[in-house]
Amino acid sequence: MYTGWSLHLFVEKKLFFFLWLFPSVLFGQQLNELVTLYQHKYKESEAVIINSESKFEFDLAENKVIVREDREQKLLSLRYNTFINEVEFYDSNSDIKEFSCESSLNQKSFNSDKVCGNYTNSEYFFDDNKFCTHKLKLQEAGEVWKTHIDKVYNDSKYLTSVYFHDKYPIVNKKIVLKIPSDIDVDIREFNFEKFTVDKHETLQGKFRIVEYSISNISAMENVRLGRSVQFIYPHLLILVKSFQSEGERVNILSNLHDLYGWYRSLTRQLSVQPETFAPLVNNILKGKVTDDEKISTVFYWVQDNIRYIAFENGLAGFKPDNAHSVFQKKYGDCKGMANLTKEMLRYAGYDARLSWIGTKRIRYDYSIPSLAVDNHMICTVILDGKKYFLDATEKYLPLGFIAERIQGRQILIEDGDNYILEKIPEVSKENELELRQAKLSMKSDMLVGSYKYILQGEKKRNFLCGYHFSSGDTKDRLVKHCLIDENKNMKVNNIRLSDLNHRVGPFEINTDLECRGAISSFNNELYVDIDISKDFKSWIVDEERQSDIDFGEKIHKVLEVELELKDGDSVIFLPEKLQIDHKEFSVHAVYVKDQNRILYKKRISIENGIISKDSFIQWNEAIRKLTQHYDSQIILKR
């Protein structure tokens, strides 16, 4: 006998079996049961993909490897009179040969009906991404749409990742790769450990057939502070390494040397015209004596005078723009800005080199020879055995400081026909300090005093960028938001900012502070709340969330408050010490009575700026304790 959840699974498997093998006989009550089942299971989804199969076939054409993808899938409608868009992306290195859709209610959308256009990712000012779409009407729940896509990758280097998940939940998914024996393809598997993925590999004549299948997976989620999908979802990284031609092996990307060689083939096409920027370099370096002064002067000039515009377009997504062109246009992408920095410094007499790197959004490193490994370029200066890593896209970044997004990452530095592979240093969380210091006294029912807000590292850079790119009232709102967030019981006056153009050292904001409602009295007892920044209060994470929490920066928040007591005040109660230590985060808070004052210090640290899904339960427990701590107040007898 089936009961409870076992019956639920039995019905699901039985109904799907009939829908898959005999779709025409599944009707009436059976279809209603299936729709009801998935409506309950996937409450937020308009449809569910009941079956998806993608076949990738590799072939040789014009002395390069091309890949044809043939994809068919069936979508089961879970809604009435709802429109959805089926979208397929391509670019200058791929083509969509066919894209058609047909429903069980005789709705049809042919290849000629598709609407195509340019698509620009929000991360880019311009890229060569294009899309084709069909607008499908879900007339009624239970309607099944069958879609077919025939897509060709004209250069196998640009086929990198293949994911199992989709924007809709999937009941059954299959990925098949058909690889001829004269093409060497390496398939890397990622994030399989938390999913049940079946793999079968067979030989059919001269072809190697690799088949993957997965069942019952939820839709890709779109959440705040989500980590890159490369860290979350199971996927394949396709590495076409070489092929046989007339009995000889032709390398494509078989190792790092091949990858670097391809990058170098692009950079060798650049022209150098130092006469374009030479007068400026000579002028800005006048009076500069030390190497650090000269390097930083050029570095800061590029930061301040070249507008960063992300750009990705075919080979231009990998090939830097000429330095003189970037200088004349006064804008460029990371590659163009790195090249301009390099050529200006080389003109000034320094050993400056282009360098490729993948930011922390990239899971892979240079042990994998793929275009998916990196997404950024900077300039490296080598001087007396020391390396200066210069990323001019990071406005207000001081010389010697490394942006969080590339810390700890491998970097590929040009070295003629060879390369240098190194690792960017990692900065400790203490260098990412966000410090609040307040000296307060009690006045009637409020706290008054001085307040200092100090930022270092990435926190400082982010503030300066936000401030300089704001105007008028927006600047004021930014400053007040940093000081008191949205707390309407707090008021700041007489705000003084330290030098907004000074890159080196900490940044300070000093102000006078009033905290209304921080004191309440009852029977000659005062209840006082001196925690002016209740960071992460009630910051509970949904434990069903798929993605880790990624703050994009290390967290090191420190609060130090000194409360002056009046003569005759006696301390009845101080909140207990809070100490939570976890491998990914820590929370410390303590109150101390010191003569005629109470000292409060709180520190919240997230070592790498990431709370992994495996730690959500421990994080939520810590947040509950922290919130309880916030709700506990000092009690004084007057």
Side-chain angles (χ1 to χ4, degrees):
M1 177 180 292
Y2 292 96
T3 59
W5 183 246
S6 62
L7 178 60
H8 179 93
L9 291 176
F10 172 74
V11 172
E12 181 176 5
K13 291 179 179 178
K14 179 181 177 182
L15 291 176
F16 177 76
F17 176 78
F18 279 103
L19 181 61
W20 173 240
L21 292 181
F22 311 107
S24 60
V25 303
L26 187 63
F27 60 90
Q29 184 177 354
Q30 289 180 321
L31 181 59
N32 291 336
E33 288 178 8
L34 185 62
V35 171
T36 301
L37 177 70
Y38 288 131
Q39 285 175 334
H40 175 75
K41 188 173 182 179
Y42 304 116
K43 295 181 176 63
E44 304 299 321
S45 187
E46 294 95 348
V48 59
I49 299 172
I50 52 179
N51 188 70
S52 175
E53 183 168 343
S54 295
K55 297 179 180 178
F56 294 87
E57 186 166 352
F58 297 74
D59 199 2
L60 289 175
E62 299 179 358
N63 210 37
K64 63 180 180 180
V65 176
I66 64 170
V67 185
R68 180 179 293 274
E69 178 186 3
D70 188 87
R71 186 190 324 148
E72 288 192 355
Q73 60 184 27
K74 294 178 181 178
L75 291 94
L76 176 67
S77 170
L78 304 181
R79 300 287 179 263
Y80 295 87
N81 294 322
T82 300
F83 287 95
I84 63 173
N85 290 306
E86 273 300 287
V87 181
E88 182 64 21
F89 294 97
Y90 65 107
D91 55 31
S92 58
N93 297 293
S94 58
D95 295 303
I96 296 176
K97 300 297 184 181
E98 182 182 343
F99 184 9
S100 59
C101 309
E102 181 178 358
S103 90
S104 58
L105 298 182
N106 294 319
Q107 295 190 78
K108 294 182 180 181
S109 189
F110 298 102
N111 184 61
S112 57
D113 299 326
K114 65 182 184 291
V115 177
C116 300
N118 292 319
Y119 170 83
T120 295
N121 187 301
S122 61
E123 296 180 359
Y124 296 101
F125 172 77
F126 176 83
D127 60 30
D128 68 333
N129 279 328
K130 301 178 181 67
F131 72 94
C132 289
T133 182
H134 285 289
K135 189 173 185 178
L136 308 183
K137 183 179 181 181
L138 307 182
Q139 289 187 167
E140 61 182 59
E143 181 179 14
V144 177
W145 274 96
K146 180 181 179 181
T147 67
H148 177 245
I149 293 173
D150 184 3
K151 181 177 179 180
V152 175
Y153 297 86
N154 300 310
D155 187 334
S156 62
K157 287 196 295 292
Y158 294 91
L159 171 61
T160 54
S161 303
V162 179
Y163 283 81
F164 292 87
H165 283 69
D166 200 284
K167 63 180 178 180
Y168 300 118
I170 299 177
V171 179
N172 277 292
K173 171 84 171 189
K174 184 182 291 185
I175 295 173
V176 181
L177 297 97
K178 185 177 182 181
I179 307 165
S181 58
D182 56 356
I183 301 177
D184 184 8
V185 179
D186 185 9
I187 306 169
R188 303 286 180 94
E189 301 164 358
F190 290 89
N191 304 325
F192 276 32
E193 60 275 3
K194 294 184 179 180
F195 296 86
T196 302
V197 182
D198 292 326
K199 176 183 178 181
H200 299 283
E201 187 166 341
T202 57
L203 292 177
Q204 294 182 8
K206 69 171 186 175
F207 293 99
R208 169 188 168 208
I209 310 296
V210 186
E211 181 178 306
Y212 295 89
S213 58
I214 191 170
S215 300
N216 298 315
I217 53 177
S218 59
M220 279 188 172
E221 64 180 6
N222 183 15
V223 291
R224 180 171 172 262
L225 300 177
R227 205 169 184 195
S228 164
V229 295
Q230 295 177 0
F231 292 89
I232 305 165
Y233 298 108
H235 64 277
L236 309 174
L237 195 64
I238 310 299
L239 307 175
V240 180
K241 303 175 72 173
S242 65
F243 62 89
Q244 295 287 332
S245 177
E246 297 179 355
E248 293 187 2
R249 174 176 169 172
V250 179
N251 285 345
I252 301 177
L253 294 176
S254 60
N255 51 44
L256 181 54
H257 184 78
D258 290 339
L259 180 61
Y260 174 74
W262 187 72
Y263 286 161
R264 180 154 170 75
S265 72
L266 300 178
T267 60
R268 292 180 71 173
Q269 300 173 28
L270 299 173
S271 65
V272 181
Q273 299 179 19
E275 64 275 10
T276 307
F277 47 76
L280 177 110
V281 175
N282 292 333
N283 184 54
I284 64 177
L285 293 185
K286 284 181 181 178
K288 302 299 186 290
V289 178
T290 68
D291 291 320
D292 278 8
E293 284 181 314
K294 293 177 181 180
I295 294 170
S296 63
T297 297
V298 171
F299 180 40
Y300 296 162
W301 187 92
V302 178
Q303 282 186 15
D304 294 341
N305 293 278
I306 303 299
R307 183 184 175 196
Y308 171 58
I309 297 180
F311 183 90
E312 186 171 283
N313 182 22
L315 282 181
F318 297 92
K319 178 183 175 183
D321 198 357
N322 287 310
H324 60 270
S325 177
V326 176
F327 179 81
Q328 291 169 332
K329 293 183 298 185
K330 294 295 185 290
Y331 68 81
D333 64 1
C334 65
K335 300 176 294 298
M337 294 178 75
N339 193 34
L340 176 59
T341 306
K342 166 194 169 178
E343 295 300 344
M344 290 177 69
L345 285 168
R346 287 182 71 84
Y347 173 77
Y350 292 97
D351 182 5
R353 310 181 184 198
L354 294 177
S355 305
W356 295 262
I357 192 168
T359 66
K360 288 186 175 180
R361 299 289 292 176
I362 302 290
R363 171 166 183 166
Y364 326 116
D365 62 23
Y366 283 107
S367 65
I368 300 174
S370 168
L371 302 188
V373 170
D374 51 50
N375 60 347
H376 194 41
M377 182 179 280
I378 67 173
C379 172
T380 301
V381 174
I382 302 177
L383 179 64
D384 297 330
K386 179 180 179 181
K387 293 183 176 65
Y388 296 80
F389 300 107
L390 310 180
D391 184 355
T393 68
E394 298 282 358
K395 304 294 186 183
Y396 306 104
L397 190 77
L399 182 70
F401 183 83
I402 299 168
E404 168 67 26
R405 63 177 179 155
I406 62 173
Q407 290 178 25
R409 299 292 296 173
Q410 283 186 332
I411 183 167
L412 187 68
I413 305 169
E414 66 176 342
D415 190 29
D417 291 333
N418 299 305
Y419 59 83
I420 299 171
L421 183 62
E422 289 213 2
K423 192 173 184 180
I424 297 283
E426 189 88 38
V427 176
S428 70
K429 66 179 184 298
E430 283 74 20
N431 291 308
E432 300 290 338
L433 177 66
E434 181 181 1
L435 172 62
R436 301 174 191 270
Q437 295 175 321
K439 292 186 177 182
L440 305 174
S441 60
M442 293 176 284
K443 181 180 178 181
S444 185
D445 65 341
M446 66 178 180
L447 299 173
V448 297
S450 62
Y451 178 21
K452 181 184 292 187
Y453 182 53
I454 302 173
L455 296 172
Q456 291 182 182
E458 197 92 2
K459 304 287 194 308
K460 173 188 174 180
R461 194 203 74 84
N462 290 341
F463 175 84
L464 291 179
C465 284
Y467 189 89
H468 284 290
F469 283 98
S470 301
S471 60
D473 293 341
T474 308
K475 292 181 186 288
D476 296 335
R477 289 198 296 271
L478 173 64
V479 172
K480 289 182 179 179
H481 178 79
C482 290
L483 292 170
I484 59 175
D485 198 5
E486 302 297 328
N487 193 330
K488 296 180 180 180
N489 291 323
M490 295 174 65
K491 183 178 180 181
V492 288
N493 300 294
N494 190 25
I495 299 174
R496 291 92 64 195
L497 280 66
S498 61
D499 190 344
L500 287 158
N501 296 306
H502 191 58
R503 289 174 169 83
V504 180
F507 176 77
E508 289 189 11
I509 304 176
N510 286 275
T511 183
D512 300 329
L513 178 66
E514 295 180 1
C515 303
R516 298 183 180 276
I519 304 174
S520 57
S521 59
F522 182 75
N523 289 341
N524 294 323
E525 290 182 349
L526 299 180
Y527 296 80
V528 186
D529 180 2
I530 65 172
D531 192 317
I532 62 173
S533 63
K534 294 178 171 56
D535 297 300
F536 294 107
K537 182 176 182 179
S538 302
W539 216 88
I540 297 294
V541 177
D542 180 2
E543 293 175 10
E544 297 301 314
R545 172 185 170 125
Q546 299 175 39
S547 171
D548 302 337
I549 305 291
D550 186 354
F551 292 97
E553 59 184 8
K554 297 179 179 69
I555 304 294
H556 188 52
K557 296 175 178 286
V558 177
L559 172 65
E560 297 174 349
V561 180
E562 177 182 321
L563 176 64
E564 180 184 356
L565 300 177
K566 293 184 177 181
D567 292 340
D569 288 346
S570 59
V571 177
I572 297 177
F573 174 78
L574 291 178
E576 294 183 2
K577 178 181 179 181
L578 178 64
Q579 182 168 339
I580 301 170
D581 291 294
H582 184 272
K583 63 181 180 180
E584 295 178 355
F585 57 86
S586 63
V587 181
H588 295 172
V590 61
Y591 290 85
V592 176
K593 169 71 165 59
D594 180 31
Q595 297 182 357
N596 66 334
R597 59 183 184 167
I598 294 175
L599 304 177
Y600 174 54
K601 184 171 183 178
K602 179 183 67 180
R603 185 184 79 241
I604 301 176
S605 298
I606 303 175
E607 189 72 30
N608 295 308
I610 292 174
I611 306 296
S612 68
K613 179 174 174 58
D614 292 340
S615 300
F616 282 178
I617 293 175
Q618 293 86 348
W619 168 263
N620 286 343
E621 182 181 352
I623 292 302
R624 293 186 185 96
K625 291 179 179 178
L626 177 62
T627 301
Q628 185 179 9
H629 172 84
Y630 285 147
D631 292 336
S632 185
Q633 298 178 343
I634 298 168
I635 303 176
L636 304 176
K637 183 76 172 180
R638 175 163 291 177

